[in-house]
Amino acid sequence: MALTPVENQTPGFTAATAAAAGAFFGLFVGTAQGSGLMGVLIGAALLGVIGFVFASMTDKETPLRWLLIAVFAAAGFVLGGFVAAVIGALFGWFAGWFVFWIATSRYRAHLAPYLTPGQVLWHYTFRVICGVIFVFLITPILVVMPLSFNAQDFFTFTPEMLRFDPEGYSLKHYRDFFTNDDWQQALWNSVRIAPMATLLSVGFGTLAAIGLSQPHVPFRRAIMAILISPMIVPLIISAAGMYFFYSRIGLQGTYLGVVLAHAALGIPFVIITVTATLVGFDRSLTRAAANMGAGPVTTFFRVQMPLILPGVISGGLFAFITSFDEVVVVLFVGSAGQKTLPWQMFIGLREQISPTILAVATILVVISIALLTTVEMLRRRSERLRGMSPS
């Protein structure tokens, strides 16, 4: 197979590629300004010209990149002040980097030399698609977090915030959360409910996963489907079913009822993570422990549990997040005495538009990120223990 030579690209190719990137970013900027088509045209023309001119000046890359940063920052400052200048400088940095990245063929440096142009195109197109999806999903979170520091009682960016004026920012919504009795009672209820629901989920889910991993268990596929059904069935259906069932047995509106309902929602996560950990488990270890005289309980805690512990903890963290963030089921099953933090947020949105909700949402996002980071670290540790990862 012929190798594709790595050499500087022609001005036409660089201009066309840069114009496509400019049109993509111009679409977002133009849409924000009320004219997406105009943004596409201006972005494509601007980066196309820069790409065509700079493609033949690769020996002067560093000063030209700094020139672009300065020009775009100055233009942004003239048009919109300090914030626009920062955005302009960032765009100028990206434009300079991207144009020379294409012009010097650095985009092929880490790719296999035998890839065809079509394969290279798909390689980067796929990554752009993934990046767009990621930005689409993460943008609402990135918008909420700075809004939680708004000095005004608004759900929008004030002119002071856009100018980065210190007077436009305040911690008063966080102070309201930590001093308001309603919010603190809701937080206390969540702290009481989520850990207990997590313990039940981990206990029952781990035992179910170990049992269903045995090949001699009859109908284990059907049982597995039933146990993980709370992840599939619409939550409103599960909540309504729990309400009618719990009301018949006296659990509706009680602390135990909410804990059991959240445990039922968390068990599927524990089953899935523990089952995935058991895939690479060497069952000869349990047989060896039995031959040495260890009972089933001793074998479980001394041999099996240390190896599947990352999966158990990961499932427990998912169960905790599910319980801590859940609002639909607790609305059906709980009462005013079990008003959790998400329930209080729902009331705040329905009855009063309180910016304290943004502060609470930011705190929950930070907690979720910390827990998910822990899950990822445990996943990698589990792979190392099972010999699936060299590092």
Side-chain angles (χ1 to χ4, degrees), residues 4 13 107-108 111-127:
T4 302
F13 177 83
Y107 64 92
R108 294 197 64 107
L111 300 180
Y114 52 78
L115 293 182
T116 64
Q119 292 172 324
V120 174
L121 177 63
W122 169 244
H123 175 85
Y124 287 107
T125 301
F126 177 75
R127 278 152 180 76

Side-chain angles (χ1 to χ4, degrees), residues 223-235:
I223 297 174
M224 174 71 80
I226 294 173
L227 290 177
I228 66 173
S229 61
M231 296 179 63
I232 304 171
V233 177
L235 202 55

